[in-house]
Amino acid sequence: MKRLLVTGGAGFIGSNFIQYVLKNRQDVELLVNLDLLTYAGNLENLLPVQGDRRYVFVRGDIRDRALVRELFDRWTFDTVVHFAAESHVDRSLLEPELFVSTNVLGTQSLLDAARDHWKTEPGNKYSRAYRPGVVYLQVSTDEVYGALGPTGFFTETSPLSPNSPYSASKAGADMLVRAYGQSYGLPVNITRCSNNYGPYQFPEKLIPLMLHNALEDRPLPVYGDGRQIRDWLHVEDHCAALLAVLERGQRGEVYNVGGGSERTNLQIVRLLLSQLGKSEDLIRHVPDRPGHDRRYAVDSDKLRAELGWAPRHSFEQGLEETVAWYLANPGWVERVVSGDYLAYYAKMYGPDA
Ligand code: NAD
Ligand code: DAU
């Protein structure tokens, strides 16, 4: 893992991953971040690595097949870490086509480029030989498994049963990755992670949205009865899991990543309010999300046993640190909410870029 293509690196998890890799892996020679800078991409998340000579930013679309091939030609990557996606369930209910286009076709564009550039006998259509050490990692989600009842866990062999256009598009992408592994022998991995929290998360997602509203004494919109359960993991623990798979994973395998920290949405909201010293009167129950998955819980035994990974953050301590980060960075949230962060790109690369 010396020359990485990271897609979607200006988003929440991708930007945390880039910072984590450049800080912890000095043998990485090059890391190219390909990001379209949709509403969810923010270059401000990457200011800490801006001066690192190993880091290159390219604004572009993963669906632009010519661009992706040109990047492979120019930089000879040995590793692809694919984060770029439309990632918000509520938006997928409003605009499903965009999710299929970005999440499915975007994945296929990357898979095709990786297969064609990494094959050692490109003229031989039956050859399954690739350059040594190359790997394509698909960053997927536990949502592809659908919803659980009050007991049980998702394992890597649970059937895929997605319930939203978002999770269906991620499941479609996972199936393509699997098929490129099976049909072409491409060295692939898929990780399926539970809900992440931590710094730089866009305030449309539960934790930063509730935090932001509470700080402004605005109502906290809890969907339905608020007793839906998610399994929370600190984003840094997710980054460590991705590195474990890249460095020690068995190619062709799927690895679940979970925090073992199941909480109801109401528990999260109440904890946030108490950490901020705000009243629970701010909680408002609003109509439920259509097709709302009741419970997610991930069995990560395979990742723990085979690759020696374990989360380092307890949920309560991780959430406290996250609240502290948002309180220390009010300007970041303000610029995101006002859309001002888009002006940063224009300032940096010019108004026509
Ligand atoms: P995010 O929405 O914060 O970031 C997505 C990034 O992708 C943005 O920077 C955006 O500009 C970029 N992007 C979107 N369309 C693009 C395109 N066509 N070409 C290039 N770049 C494009 O997402 P996130 O929360 O950081 O999630 C990252 C990945 O991890 C996603 O694939 C998501 O499905 C997966 N995931 C997220 C979570 C979570 O809790 N957030 C959990 C498990 C898995
Ligand atoms: O499980 C992994 C997934 O986690 C990722 O694949 C997705 O990219 C990521 O967005 C996240 O999906 P969720 O739908 O679980 O996250 P979200 O933050 O949107 O919602 C978390 C829970 O909180 C969910 O049960 C819906 C509820 N919720 C959310 C919002 C935004 C509310 O009650 N009110 C809200 O305003």
Side-chain angles (χ1 to χ4, degrees):
M1 190 186 77
K2 293 213 175 327
R3 303 176 71 79
L4 284 78
L5 172 63
V6 174
T7 69
F12 164 47
I13 306 176
S15 60
N16 275 283
F17 179 78
I18 290 174
Q19 290 195 35
Y20 189 84
V21 168
L22 292 177
K23 187 168 157 209
N24 293 295
R25 292 294 182 274
Q26 294 315 315
D27 53 341
V28 164
E29 292 167 3
L30 169 80
L31 190 158
V32 174
N33 172 16
L34 172 62
D35 196 299
L36 186 57
L37 297 184
T38 66
Y39 79 94
N42 182 356
L43 285 182
E44 206 180 322
N45 302 359
L46 293 155
L47 285 177
V49 299
Q50 208 64 54
D52 192 315
R53 55 173 183 75
R54 299 172 296 166
Y55 172 70
V56 176
F57 173 69
V58 176
R59 186 179 194 178
D61 193 327
I62 52 169
R63 293 165 297 182
D64 181 342
R65 297 170 72 88
L67 169 69
V68 171
R69 284 174 189 279
E70 190 190 314
L71 296 181
F72 269 84
D73 279 340
R74 190 179 335 150
W75 300 108
T76 55
F77 304 116
D78 56 31
T79 303
V80 174
V81 189
H82 178 33
F83 294 97
E86 290 294 336
S87 72
H88 192 40
V89 174
D90 293 325
R91 285 180 189 257
S92 80
L93 298 168
L94 302 173
E95 232 180 327
E97 306 92 276
L98 176 62
F99 281 67
V100 173
S101 168
T102 299
N103 297 357
V104 182
L105 297 179
T107 296
Q108 195 198 3
S109 149
L110 293 163
L111 286 167
D112 281 339
R115 180 198 55 193
D116 295 349
H117 281 79
W118 288 345
K119 256 185 135 167
T120 47
E121 297 172 84
N124 177 357
K125 70 178 176 181
Y126 298 111
S127 169
R128 296 166 68 87
Y130 291 89
R131 279 175 37 204
V134 295
V135 54
Y136 174 100
L137 173 57
Q138 179 76 6
V139 182
S140 188
T141 167
D142 61 354
E143 295 202 16
V144 297
Y145 296 121
L148 287 166
T151 57
F153 297 90
F154 298 130
T155 70
E156 288 81 358
T157 55
S158 299
L160 301 198
S161 192
N163 292 317
S164 72
Y166 162 68
S167 53
S169 67
K170 292 293 289 187
D174 282 16
M175 293 294 90
L176 276 177
V177 176
R178 177 189 152 83
Y180 276 61
Q182 295 289 323
S183 295
Y184 305 118
L186 190 68
V188 295
N189 284 112
I190 299 173
T191 52
R192 297 193 178 127
C193 190
S194 60
N195 286 63
N196 284 216
Y197 68 94
Y200 304 109
Q201 188 167 30
F202 195 88
E204 66 185 353
K205 305 282 166 69
L206 180 76
I207 289 177
L209 184 142
M210 298 298 175
L211 243 168
H212 180 63
N213 283 15
L215 286 172
E216 299 200 330
D217 292 312
R218 284 167 43 207
L220 308 192
V222 170
Y223 297 159
D225 64 6
R227 298 191 194 283
Q228 304 84 2
I229 291 174
R230 297 291 182 266
D231 172 1
W232 293 92
L233 181 73
H234 193 281
V235 64
E236 205 176 275
D237 288 323
H238 186 186
C239 294
L242 297 174
L243 272 192
V245 172
L246 288 169
E247 293 175 342
R248 303 189 291 284
Q250 191 174 331
R251 302 301 167 234
E253 291 295 310
V254 176
Y255 294 93
N256 281 351
V257 190
S261 295
E262 289 182 53
R263 300 287 185 283
T264 66
N265 295 336
L266 268 179
Q267 281 175 316
I268 303 273
V269 168
R270 290 192 175 122
L271 194 58
L272 283 171
L273 287 169
S274 95
Q275 289 189 3
L276 295 171
K278 298 279 182 176
S279 160
E280 291 192 7
D281 292 346
L282 287 173
I283 295 175
R284 292 282 183 289
H285 288 271
V286 300
D288 209 349
R289 172 187 278 174
H292 199 168
D293 289 333
R294 194 68 183 166
R295 173 171 171 258
Y296 303 145
V298 172
D299 178 338
S300 327
D301 279 358
K302 180 174 170 182
L303 183 66
R304 288 170 184 261
E306 291 181 16
L307 307 187
W309 172 87
R312 294 185 46 228
H313 296 261
S314 76
F315 181 68
E316 276 66 24
Q317 175 220 337
L319 191 68
E320 226 173 281
E321 285 169 18
T322 302
V323 170
W325 185 87
Y326 279 93
L327 291 177
N329 293 277
W332 182 88
V333 181
E334 279 319 314
R335 285 188 287 281
V336 168
V337 171
S338 67
D340 267 5
Y341 68 100
L342 296 172
Y344 172 81
Y345 186 83
K347 199 165 130 200
M348 181 129 170
Y349 296 95
D352 303 324

